[in-house]
Amino acid sequence: MALNNIDGIENGVQEIQVNKQSGKSSRMLFIAKWWLLFVNIACCAVGTIGGPLLLRLYFLHGGTRKWIPGWLQTVGFPIHLIPIAVLYSRRTPGVKFMASPKLLLCAAVIGVFGGLDNFMYSLGLSYLPVSTSSLLLATQLAFTAFFSFIIARQKFTPFSINAVVLMTLGAIMLGLRSNGDRPQGVTSAEYMLGFILTIAAAGLLGFILPVTEVTYAKATKSITYSIVLQFQFCTALFSTIFCSIGMLINKDFQAIPREASQFGLGQQKYYFLLASSALVWQLMFLGIMGTIFCTNSLFAGIMNATLLPLTQVAGVIVFKEKFTGEKGMALTLSIWGFASYFYGAYRDNKKQTHKEPEDK
């Protein structure tokens, strides 16, 4: 559960020049780890909050294609080449830079599952309001906790248990008044399909996170931050290939110009929406992978669940959705749960930092 539970994290921090000298004190390393974690959380927040809003905007103003939204979530993967190139130019002598073929093969398999997850989530969102979709997606925390215990042998502490319970209560609170929010033009059958697809997407995401953690931990060499970027690049590449095949079969590529000309906000804004969606979603996935690198899959799941109520707040502001008392309580419980887990991780990492000089 501590921040340094993944072998090789010190080398990863060194690669981004947070701690180049091995003689740095453990306190400096401790601060560097937390700064790296904060950067990844910020990236994840931008994507988790902005991504669903952009996709919902696509559907509200005339977007009807089923594969394009899922494709947009990973098609921006070439952007990872920029930080990879920067890190390569500043690589630390003696530290292996390139990921192993076995690790990239695992990334490819995870990418295929990720492409399926993106498709199910996007199709579910086409039938649901942002608030309801966020509520259902929050169940991924329970799936992540379950699969982390089974696959990653993740140990639970009073702080992590408290966080899971609080966020589960928040999800239940949000569900108290989920009836009657079916969007105009959506049938009861489509609405139910949206429920099923979103829950399935949450379950698959809850499976992908601990699998990624185990893949990191069982790598034949230390996982550095540059390798995390390469891993995410390969994952997004194969997710994009998966969705591209679906688009080819469904003839979505040919439909883009026609859909752009009929888009409610105009043709230029249509293409701007697609481009910004691709960028925002990549920030989210990069943030998730980086968070798993710094901590573990359960923390990544808790962080993602914490941001979902904030997505609802953004939906209230952007789409004029009602912000009920239940949503306010859910937001409070989610922040409380995240603070509980974050404080527990901070305490454990601080204790381990103080033990390091004694061990030497």
Side-chain angles (χ1 to χ4, degrees), residues 260-295:
S261 63
Q262 300 173 354
F263 194 62
L265 298 177
Q267 185 171 353
Q268 291 184 345
K269 291 184 178 180
Y270 174 84
Y271 288 113
F272 178 78
L273 178 63
L274 298 189
S276 58
S277 295
L279 175 61
V280 166
W281 280 110
Q282 276 309 293
L283 289 176
M284 188 203 75
F285 288 116
L286 180 60
I288 289 178
M289 292 298 178
T291 300
I292 296 175
F293 166 72
C294 292
T295 57

PDB file of all heavy atoms in Angstrom, residues 260-295:
ATOM      1  N   ALA A 260     -20.167  15.728 -39.292  1.00  0.00           N
ATOM      2  CA  ALA A 260     -19.623  17.049 -38.986  1.00  0.00           C
ATOM      3  C   ALA A 260     -20.476  18.152 -39.613  1.00  0.00           C
ATOM      4  O   ALA A 260     -20.715  19.197 -38.986  1.00  0.00           O
ATOM      5  CB  ALA A 260     -18.186  17.150 -39.484  1.00  0.00           C
ATOM      6  N   SER A 261     -20.931  17.942 -40.828  1.00  0.00           N
ATOM      7  CA  SER A 261     -21.736  18.961 -41.506  1.00  0.00           C
ATOM      8  C   SER A 261     -23.108  19.138 -40.873  1.00  0.00           C
ATOM      9  O   SER A 261     -23.725  20.196 -40.982  1.00  0.00           O
ATOM     10  CB  SER A 261     -21.905  18.591 -42.985  1.00  0.00           C
ATOM     11  OG  SER A 261     -22.613  17.366 -43.126  1.00  0.00           O
ATOM     12  N   GLN A 262     -23.583  18.111 -40.163  1.00  0.00           N
ATOM     13  CA  GLN A 262     -24.901  18.172 -39.539  1.00  0.00           C
ATOM     14  C   GLN A 262     -24.827  18.414 -38.033  1.00  0.00           C
ATOM     15  O   GLN A 262     -25.862  18.436 -37.363  1.00  0.00           O
ATOM     16  CB  GLN A 262     -25.654  16.858 -39.806  1.00  0.00           C
ATOM     17  CG  GLN A 262     -25.869  16.561 -41.278  1.00  0.00           C
ATOM     18  CD  GLN A 262     -26.451  15.184 -41.524  1.00  0.00           C
ATOM     19  OE1 GLN A 262     -26.606  14.377 -40.603  1.00  0.00           O
ATOM     20  NE2 GLN A 262     -26.779  14.892 -42.777  1.00  0.00           N
ATOM     21  N   PHE A 263     -23.621  18.590 -37.504  1.00  0.00           N
ATOM     22  CA  PHE A 263     -23.454  18.744 -36.053  1.00  0.00           C
ATOM     23  C   PHE A 263     -24.078  20.051 -35.580  1.00  0.00           C
ATOM     24  O   PHE A 263     -23.948  21.091 -36.236  1.00  0.00           O
ATOM     25  CB  PHE A 263     -21.970  18.714 -35.700  1.00  0.00           C
ATOM     26  CG  PHE A 263     -21.691  18.520 -34.242  1.00  0.00           C
ATOM     27  CD1 PHE A 263     -22.095  17.368 -33.585  1.00  0.00           C
ATOM     28  CD2 PHE A 263     -21.015  19.492 -33.517  1.00  0.00           C
ATOM     29  CE1 PHE A 263     -21.827  17.185 -32.236  1.00  0.00           C
ATOM     30  CE2 PHE A 263     -20.737  19.316 -32.175  1.00  0.00           C
ATOM     31  CZ  PHE A 263     -21.150  18.157 -31.531  1.00  0.00           C
ATOM     32  N   GLY A 264     -24.746  19.999 -34.423  1.00  0.00           N
ATOM     33  CA  GLY A 264     -25.492  21.146 -33.920  1.00  0.00           C
ATOM     34  C   GLY A 264     -24.649  22.368 -33.627  1.00  0.00           C
ATOM     35  O   GLY A 264     -25.130  23.500 -33.745  1.00  0.00           O
ATOM     36  N   LEU A 265     -23.396  22.186 -33.244  1.00  0.00           N
ATOM     37  CA  LEU A 265     -22.524  23.312 -32.905  1.00  0.00           C
ATOM     38  C   LEU A 265     -21.701  23.808 -34.081  1.00  0.00           C
ATOM     39  O   LEU A 265     -20.941  24.763 -33.937  1.00  0.00           O
ATOM     40  CB  LEU A 265     -21.595  22.915 -31.752  1.00  0.00           C
ATOM     41  CG  LEU A 265     -22.267  22.558 -30.428  1.00  0.00           C
ATOM     42  CD1 LEU A 265     -21.224  22.120 -29.396  1.00  0.00           C
ATOM     43  CD2 LEU A 265     -23.081  23.722 -29.897  1.00  0.00           C
ATOM     44  N   GLY A 266     -21.819  23.152 -35.210  1.00  0.00           N
ATOM     45  CA  GLY A 266     -21.057  23.561 -36.387  1.00  0.00           C
ATOM     46  C   GLY A 266     -19.937  22.591 -36.710  1.00  0.00           C
ATOM     47  O   GLY A 266     -19.473  21.825 -35.856  1.00  0.00           O
ATOM     48  N   GLN A 267     -19.472  22.639 -37.942  1.00  0.00           N
ATOM     49  CA  GLN A 267     -18.466  21.690 -38.414  1.00  0.00           C
ATOM     50  C   GLN A 267     -17.118  21.888 -37.743  1.00  0.00           C
ATOM     51  O   GLN A 267     -16.465  20.916 -37.335  1.00  0.00           O
ATOM     52  CB  GLN A 267     -18.313  21.823 -39.934  1.00  0.00           C
ATOM     53  CG  GLN A 267     -17.375  20.798 -40.550  1.00  0.00           C
ATOM     54  CD  GLN A 267     -17.411  20.830 -42.073  1.00  0.00           C
ATOM     55  OE1 GLN A 267     -18.220  21.527 -42.661  1.00  0.00           O
ATOM     56  NE2 GLN A 267     -16.533  20.084 -42.713  1.00  0.00           N
ATOM     57  N   GLN A 268     -16.667  23.125 -37.591  1.00  0.00           N
ATOM     58  CA  GLN A 268     -15.372  23.377 -36.970  1.00  0.00           C
ATOM     59  C   GLN A 268     -15.348  22.921 -35.513  1.00  0.00           C
ATOM     60  O   GLN A 268     -14.370  22.317 -35.060  1.00  0.00           O
ATOM     61  CB  GLN A 268     -15.021  24.860 -37.072  1.00  0.00           C
ATOM     62  CG  GLN A 268     -14.718  25.344 -38.493  1.00  0.00           C
ATOM     63  CD  GLN A 268     -14.274  26.790 -38.531  1.00  0.00           C
ATOM     64  OE1 GLN A 268     -14.441  27.531 -37.557  1.00  0.00           O
ATOM     65  NE2 GLN A 268     -13.706  27.211 -39.662  1.00  0.00           N
ATOM     66  N   LYS A 269     -16.426  23.210 -34.796  1.00  0.00           N
ATOM     67  CA  LYS A 269     -16.484  22.806 -33.392  1.00  0.00           C
ATOM     68  C   LYS A 269     -16.593  21.291 -33.254  1.00  0.00           C
ATOM     69  O   LYS A 269     -16.179  20.720 -32.238  1.00  0.00           O
ATOM     70  CB  LYS A 269     -17.656  23.503 -32.696  1.00  0.00           C
ATOM     71  CG  LYS A 269     -17.449  24.999 -32.523  1.00  0.00           C
ATOM     72  CD  LYS A 269     -18.586  25.634 -31.741  1.00  0.00           C
ATOM     73  CE  LYS A 269     -18.328  27.130 -31.544  1.00  0.00           C
ATOM     74  NZ  LYS A 269     -19.431  27.792 -30.787  1.00  0.00           N
ATOM     75  N   TYR A 270     -17.145  20.657 -34.270  1.00  0.00           N
ATOM     76  CA  TYR A 270     -17.217  19.188 -34.258  1.00  0.00           C
ATOM     77  C   TYR A 270     -15.810  18.596 -34.252  1.00  0.00           C
ATOM     78  O   TYR A 270     -15.485  17.735 -33.413  1.00  0.00           O
ATOM     79  CB  TYR A 270     -18.000  18.698 -35.473  1.00  0.00           C
ATOM     80  CG  TYR A 270     -18.019  17.190 -35.633  1.00  0.00           C
ATOM     81  CD1 TYR A 270     -18.945  16.416 -34.941  1.00  0.00           C
ATOM     82  CD2 TYR A 270     -17.112  16.548 -36.486  1.00  0.00           C
ATOM     83  CE1 TYR A 270     -18.964  15.030 -35.094  1.00  0.00           C
ATOM     84  CE2 TYR A 270     -17.128  15.167 -36.648  1.00  0.00           C
ATOM     85  CZ  TYR A 270     -18.058  14.423 -35.944  1.00  0.00           C
ATOM     86  OH  TYR A 270     -18.080  13.052 -36.091  1.00  0.00           O
ATOM     87  N   TYR A 271     -14.980  19.061 -35.164  1.00  0.00           N
ATOM     88  CA  TYR A 271     -13.617  18.536 -35.238  1.00  0.00           C
ATOM     89  C   TYR A 271     -12.795  18.957 -34.020  1.00  0.00           C
ATOM     90  O   TYR A 271     -11.937  18.190 -33.541  1.00  0.00           O
ATOM     91  CB  TYR A 271     -12.939  19.001 -36.525  1.00  0.00           C
ATOM     92  CG  TYR A 271     -13.478  18.324 -37.766  1.00  0.00           C
ATOM     93  CD1 TYR A 271     -14.180  19.043 -38.733  1.00  0.00           C
ATOM     94  CD2 TYR A 271     -13.287  16.964 -37.960  1.00  0.00           C
ATOM     95  CE1 TYR A 271     -14.671  18.412 -39.870  1.00  0.00           C
ATOM     96  CE2 TYR A 271     -13.781  16.328 -39.103  1.00  0.00           C
ATOM     97  CZ  TYR A 271     -14.479  17.060 -40.047  1.00  0.00           C
ATOM     98  OH  TYR A 271     -14.971  16.431 -41.174  1.00  0.00           O
ATOM     99  N   PHE A 272     -13.060  20.155 -33.513  1.00  0.00           N
ATOM    100  CA  PHE A 272     -12.366  20.585 -32.293  1.00  0.00           C
ATOM    101  C   PHE A 272     -12.770  19.705 -31.112  1.00  0.00           C
ATOM    102  O   PHE A 272     -11.936  19.363 -30.262  1.00  0.00           O
ATOM    103  CB  PHE A 272     -12.690  22.048 -31.992  1.00  0.00           C
ATOM    104  CG  PHE A 272     -12.054  22.558 -30.726  1.00  0.00           C
ATOM    105  CD1 PHE A 272     -10.712  22.904 -30.699  1.00  0.00           C
ATOM    106  CD2 PHE A 272     -12.796  22.691 -29.558  1.00  0.00           C
ATOM    107  CE1 PHE A 272     -10.109  23.355 -29.531  1.00  0.00           C
ATOM    108  CE2 PHE A 272     -12.209  23.147 -28.388  1.00  0.00           C
ATOM    109  CZ  PHE A 272     -10.859  23.482 -28.381  1.00  0.00           C
ATOM    110  N   LEU A 273     -14.036  19.317 -31.068  1.00  0.00           N
ATOM    111  CA  LEU A 273     -14.523  18.441 -30.009  1.00  0.00           C
ATOM    112  C   LEU A 273     -13.839  17.082 -30.070  1.00  0.00           C
ATOM    113  O   LEU A 273     -13.435  16.525 -29.036  1.00  0.00           O
ATOM    114  CB  LEU A 273     -16.043  18.280 -30.129  1.00  0.00           C
ATOM    115  CG  LEU A 273     -16.716  17.348 -29.121  1.00  0.00           C
ATOM    116  CD1 LEU A 273     -16.547  17.872 -27.700  1.00  0.00           C
ATOM    117  CD2 LEU A 273     -18.200  17.194 -29.446  1.00  0.00           C
ATOM    118  N   LEU A 274     -13.689  16.543 -31.277  1.00  0.00           N
ATOM    119  CA  LEU A 274     -13.011  15.257 -31.420  1.00  0.00           C
ATOM    120  C   LEU A 274     -11.557  15.337 -30.968  1.00  0.00           C
ATOM    121  O   LEU A 274     -11.064  14.464 -30.240  1.00  0.00           O
ATOM    122  CB  LEU A 274     -13.077  14.784 -32.877  1.00  0.00           C
ATOM    123  CG  LEU A 274     -14.462  14.514 -33.487  1.00  0.00           C
ATOM    124  CD1 LEU A 274     -14.305  13.854 -34.852  1.00  0.00           C
ATOM    125  CD2 LEU A 274     -15.328  13.670 -32.572  1.00  0.00           C
ATOM    126  N   ALA A 275     -10.864  16.397 -31.397  1.00  0.00           N
ATOM    127  CA  ALA A 275      -9.446  16.539 -31.052  1.00  0.00           C
ATOM    128  C   ALA A 275      -9.248  16.745 -29.552  1.00  0.00           C
ATOM    129  O   ALA A 275      -8.363  16.128 -28.941  1.00  0.00           O
ATOM    130  CB  ALA A 275      -8.840  17.709 -31.827  1.00  0.00           C
ATOM    131  N   SER A 276     -10.070  17.595 -28.947  1.00  0.00           N
ATOM    132  CA  SER A 276      -9.930  17.849 -27.506  1.00  0.00           C
ATOM    133  C   SER A 276     -10.299  16.619 -26.692  1.00  0.00           C
ATOM    134  O   SER A 276      -9.682  16.347 -25.653  1.00  0.00           O
ATOM    135  CB  SER A 276     -10.808  19.041 -27.098  1.00  0.00           C
ATOM    136  OG  SER A 276     -12.172  18.809 -27.421  1.00  0.00           O
ATOM    137  N   SER A 277     -11.263  15.849 -27.161  1.00  0.00           N
ATOM    138  CA  SER A 277     -11.630  14.609 -26.468  1.00  0.00           C
ATOM    139  C   SER A 277     -10.461  13.631 -26.469  1.00  0.00           C
ATOM    140  O   SER A 277     -10.156  13.007 -25.435  1.00  0.00           O
ATOM    141  CB  SER A 277     -12.847  13.957 -27.129  1.00  0.00           C
ATOM    142  OG  SER A 277     -13.992  14.762 -27.001  1.00  0.00           O
ATOM    143  N   ALA A 278      -9.809  13.485 -27.604  1.00  0.00           N
ATOM    144  CA  ALA A 278      -8.669  12.572 -27.705  1.00  0.00           C
ATOM    145  C   ALA A 278      -7.562  12.970 -26.733  1.00  0.00           C
ATOM    146  O   ALA A 278      -6.954  12.112 -26.073  1.00  0.00           O
ATOM    147  CB  ALA A 278      -8.143  12.553 -29.132  1.00  0.00           C
ATOM    148  N   LEU A 279      -7.294  14.272 -26.611  1.00  0.00           N
ATOM    149  CA  LEU A 279      -6.244  14.743 -25.711  1.00  0.00           C
ATOM    150  C   LEU A 279      -6.619  14.544 -24.254  1.00  0.00           C
ATOM    151  O   LEU A 279      -5.828  14.034 -23.446  1.00  0.00           O
ATOM    152  CB  LEU A 279      -5.971  16.226 -25.984  1.00  0.00           C
ATOM    153  CG  LEU A 279      -4.983  16.914 -25.036  1.00  0.00           C
ATOM    154  CD1 LEU A 279      -3.615  16.250 -25.112  1.00  0.00           C
ATOM    155  CD2 LEU A 279      -4.874  18.396 -25.360  1.00  0.00           C
ATOM    156  N   VAL A 280      -7.838  14.911 -23.897  1.00  0.00           N
ATOM    157  CA  VAL A 280      -8.279  14.840 -22.502  1.00  0.00           C
ATOM    158  C   VAL A 280      -8.300  13.394 -22.004  1.00  0.00           C
ATOM    159  O   VAL A 280      -7.860  13.094 -20.890  1.00  0.00           O
ATOM    160  CB  VAL A 280      -9.670  15.496 -22.360  1.00  0.00           C
ATOM    161  CG1 VAL A 280     -10.302  15.128 -21.024  1.00  0.00           C
ATOM    162  CG2 VAL A 280      -9.545  17.005 -22.482  1.00  0.00           C
ATOM    163  N   TRP A 281      -8.783  12.478 -22.840  1.00  0.00           N
ATOM    164  CA  TRP A 281      -8.846  11.079 -22.420  1.00  0.00           C
ATOM    165  C   TRP A 281      -7.451  10.484 -22.234  1.00  0.00           C
ATOM    166  O   TRP A 281      -7.234   9.655 -21.336  1.00  0.00           O
ATOM    167  CB  TRP A 281      -9.642  10.258 -23.429  1.00  0.00           C
ATOM    168  CG  TRP A 281     -11.129  10.388 -23.279  1.00  0.00           C
ATOM    169  CD1 TRP A 281     -11.990  11.011 -24.133  1.00  0.00           C
ATOM    170  CD2 TRP A 281     -11.928   9.897 -22.203  1.00  0.00           C
ATOM    171  NE1 TRP A 281     -13.278  10.947 -23.657  1.00  0.00           N
ATOM    172  CE2 TRP A 281     -13.272  10.261 -22.483  1.00  0.00           C
ATOM    173  CE3 TRP A 281     -11.654   9.188 -21.045  1.00  0.00           C
ATOM    174  CZ2 TRP A 281     -14.331   9.933 -21.623  1.00  0.00           C
ATOM    175  CZ3 TRP A 281     -12.712   8.861 -20.192  1.00  0.00           C
ATOM    176  CH2 TRP A 281     -14.022   9.229 -20.476  1.00  0.00           C
ATOM    177  N   GLN A 282      -6.502  10.893 -23.054  1.00  0.00           N
ATOM    178  CA  GLN A 282      -5.154  10.377 -22.884  1.00  0.00           C
ATOM    179  C   GLN A 282      -4.533  10.830 -21.568  1.00  0.00           C
ATOM    180  O   GLN A 282      -3.787  10.095 -20.932  1.00  0.00           O
ATOM    181  CB  GLN A 282      -4.272  10.798 -24.056  1.00  0.00           C
ATOM    182  CG  GLN A 282      -4.391   9.883 -25.261  1.00  0.00           C
ATOM    183  CD  GLN A 282      -4.211   8.428 -24.914  1.00  0.00           C
ATOM    184  OE1 GLN A 282      -3.121   7.999 -24.535  1.00  0.00           O
ATOM    185  NE2 GLN A 282      -5.263   7.631 -25.043  1.00  0.00           N
ATOM    186  N   LEU A 283      -4.850  12.051 -21.154  1.00  0.00           N
ATOM    187  CA  LEU A 283      -4.373  12.522 -19.855  1.00  0.00           C
ATOM    188  C   LEU A 283      -4.913  11.651 -18.732  1.00  0.00           C
ATOM    189  O   LEU A 283      -4.206  11.330 -17.772  1.00  0.00           O
ATOM    190  CB  LEU A 283      -4.797  13.982 -19.646  1.00  0.00           C
ATOM    191  CG  LEU A 283      -4.078  15.028 -20.498  1.00  0.00           C
ATOM    192  CD1 LEU A 283      -4.667  16.415 -20.242  1.00  0.00           C
ATOM    193  CD2 LEU A 283      -2.583  15.028 -20.222  1.00  0.00           C
ATOM    194  N   MET A 284      -6.189  11.239 -18.859  1.00  0.00           N
ATOM    195  CA  MET A 284      -6.773  10.404 -17.818  1.00  0.00           C
ATOM    196  C   MET A 284      -6.084   9.049 -17.732  1.00  0.00           C
ATOM    197  O   MET A 284      -5.693   8.601 -16.647  1.00  0.00           O
ATOM    198  CB  MET A 284      -8.266  10.192 -18.086  1.00  0.00           C
ATOM    199  CG  MET A 284      -8.976   9.497 -16.930  1.00  0.00           C
ATOM    200  SD  MET A 284     -10.505   8.656 -17.393  1.00  0.00           S
ATOM    201  CE  MET A 284      -9.861   7.212 -18.236  1.00  0.00           C
ATOM    202  N   PHE A 285      -5.914   8.378 -18.877  1.00  0.00           N
ATOM    203  CA  PHE A 285      -5.309   7.054 -18.852  1.00  0.00           C
ATOM    204  C   PHE A 285      -3.843   7.109 -18.428  1.00  0.00           C
ATOM    205  O   PHE A 285      -3.359   6.217 -17.718  1.00  0.00           O
ATOM    206  CB  PHE A 285      -5.444   6.391 -20.228  1.00  0.00           C
ATOM    207  CG  PHE A 285      -6.842   5.957 -20.552  1.00  0.00           C
ATOM    208  CD1 PHE A 285      -7.536   6.529 -21.600  1.00  0.00           C
ATOM    209  CD2 PHE A 285      -7.476   4.986 -19.791  1.00  0.00           C
ATOM    210  CE1 PHE A 285      -8.833   6.137 -21.905  1.00  0.00           C
ATOM    211  CE2 PHE A 285      -8.770   4.580 -20.079  1.00  0.00           C
ATOM    212  CZ  PHE A 285      -9.451   5.157 -21.135  1.00  0.00           C
ATOM    213  N   LEU A 286      -3.151   8.148 -18.848  1.00  0.00           N
ATOM    214  CA  LEU A 286      -1.765   8.313 -18.416  1.00  0.00           C
ATOM    215  C   LEU A 286      -1.710   8.528 -16.907  1.00  0.00           C
ATOM    216  O   LEU A 286      -0.842   7.989 -16.222  1.00  0.00           O
ATOM    217  CB  LEU A 286      -1.123   9.498 -19.139  1.00  0.00           C
ATOM    218  CG  LEU A 286       0.334   9.811 -18.790  1.00  0.00           C
ATOM    219  CD1 LEU A 286       1.222   8.617 -19.112  1.00  0.00           C
ATOM    220  CD2 LEU A 286       0.815  11.044 -19.536  1.00  0.00           C
ATOM    221  N   GLY A 287      -2.652   9.312 -16.385  1.00  0.00           N
ATOM    222  CA  GLY A 287      -2.702   9.542 -14.947  1.00  0.00           C
ATOM    223  C   GLY A 287      -2.991   8.281 -14.167  1.00  0.00           C
ATOM    224  O   GLY A 287      -2.411   8.036 -13.102  1.00  0.00           O
ATOM    225  N   ILE A 288      -3.884   7.435 -14.679  1.00  0.00           N
ATOM    226  CA  ILE A 288      -4.205   6.181 -13.998  1.00  0.00           C
ATOM    227  C   ILE A 288      -2.999   5.256 -13.963  1.00  0.00           C
ATOM    228  O   ILE A 288      -2.657   4.685 -12.914  1.00  0.00           O
ATOM    229  CB  ILE A 288      -5.398   5.485 -14.688  1.00  0.00           C
ATOM    230  CG1 ILE A 288      -6.690   6.266 -14.422  1.00  0.00           C
ATOM    231  CG2 ILE A 288      -5.554   4.053 -14.176  1.00  0.00           C
ATOM    232  CD1 ILE A 288      -7.905   5.681 -15.108  1.00  0.00           C
ATOM    233  N   MET A 289      -2.336   5.091 -15.115  1.00  0.00           N
ATOM    234  CA  MET A 289      -1.166   4.222 -15.166  1.00  0.00           C
ATOM    235  C   MET A 289      -0.052   4.743 -14.262  1.00  0.00           C
ATOM    236  O   MET A 289       0.622   3.978 -13.567  1.00  0.00           O
ATOM    237  CB  MET A 289      -0.662   4.110 -16.607  1.00  0.00           C
ATOM    238  CG  MET A 289      -1.603   3.374 -17.538  1.00  0.00           C
ATOM    239  SD  MET A 289      -1.859   1.658 -17.039  1.00  0.00           S
ATOM    240  CE  MET A 289      -3.043   1.136 -18.290  1.00  0.00           C
ATOM    241  N   GLY A 290       0.146   6.061 -14.260  1.00  0.00           N
ATOM    242  CA  GLY A 290       1.166   6.637 -13.394  1.00  0.00           C
ATOM    243  C   GLY A 290       0.835   6.493 -11.925  1.00  0.00           C
ATOM    244  O   GLY A 290       1.720   6.287 -11.092  1.00  0.00           O
ATOM    245  N   THR A 291      -0.456   6.563 -11.592  1.00  0.00           N
ATOM    246  CA  THR A 291      -0.873   6.401 -10.203  1.00  0.00           C
ATOM    247  C   THR A 291      -0.637   4.972  -9.728  1.00  0.00           C
ATOM    248  O   THR A 291      -0.195   4.740  -8.594  1.00  0.00           O
ATOM    249  CB  THR A 291      -2.355   6.772 -10.046  1.00  0.00           C
ATOM    250  OG1 THR A 291      -2.546   8.140 -10.431  1.00  0.00           O
ATOM    251  CG2 THR A 291      -2.808   6.605  -8.605  1.00  0.00           C
ATOM    252  N   ILE A 292      -0.928   3.989 -10.588  1.00  0.00           N
ATOM    253  CA  ILE A 292      -0.645   2.601 -10.234  1.00  0.00           C
ATOM    254  C   ILE A 292       0.857   2.412 -10.038  1.00  0.00           C
ATOM    255  O   ILE A 292       1.298   1.698  -9.132  1.00  0.00           O
ATOM    256  CB  ILE A 292      -1.176   1.650 -11.322  1.00  0.00           C
ATOM    257  CG1 ILE A 292      -2.703   1.724 -11.411  1.00  0.00           C
ATOM    258  CG2 ILE A 292      -0.747   0.206 -11.036  1.00  0.00           C
ATOM    259  CD1 ILE A 292      -3.297   0.903 -12.528  1.00  0.00           C
ATOM    260  N   PHE A 293       1.650   3.057 -10.890  1.00  0.00           N
ATOM    261  CA  PHE A 293       3.109   2.987 -10.770  1.00  0.00           C
ATOM    262  C   PHE A 293       3.571   3.525  -9.421  1.00  0.00           C
ATOM    263  O   PHE A 293       4.449   2.958  -8.775  1.00  0.00           O
ATOM    264  CB  PHE A 293       3.733   3.779 -11.919  1.00  0.00           C
ATOM    265  CG  PHE A 293       5.196   4.072 -11.756  1.00  0.00           C
ATOM    266  CD1 PHE A 293       6.136   3.074 -11.883  1.00  0.00           C
ATOM    267  CD2 PHE A 293       5.636   5.364 -11.488  1.00  0.00           C
ATOM    268  CE1 PHE A 293       7.488   3.346 -11.747  1.00  0.00           C
ATOM    269  CE2 PHE A 293       6.980   5.645 -11.348  1.00  0.00           C
ATOM    270  CZ  PHE A 293       7.905   4.626 -11.479  1.00  0.00           C
ATOM    271  N   CYS A 294       2.976   4.624  -8.971  1.00  0.00           N
ATOM    272  CA  CYS A 294       3.391   5.266  -7.719  1.00  0.00           C
ATOM    273  C   CYS A 294       2.808   4.576  -6.493  1.00  0.00           C
ATOM    274  O   CYS A 294       3.405   4.606  -5.417  1.00  0.00           O
ATOM    275  CB  CYS A 294       2.970   6.735  -7.710  1.00  0.00           C
ATOM    276  SG  CYS A 294       3.844   7.770  -8.895  1.00  0.00           S
ATOM    277  N   THR A 295       1.607   3.997  -6.623  1.00  0.00           N
ATOM    278  CA  THR A 295       0.939   3.407  -5.461  1.00  0.00           C
ATOM    279  C   THR A 295       0.528   1.980  -5.772  1.00  0.00           C
ATOM    280  O   THR A 295       1.345   1.085  -5.808  1.00  0.00           O
ATOM    281  CB  THR A 295      -0.282   4.252  -5.075  1.00  0.00           C
ATOM    282  OG1 THR A 295      -1.182   4.357  -6.202  1.00  0.00           O
ATOM    283  CG2 THR A 295       0.136   5.650  -4.650  1.00  0.00           C
TER     284      THR A 295
END
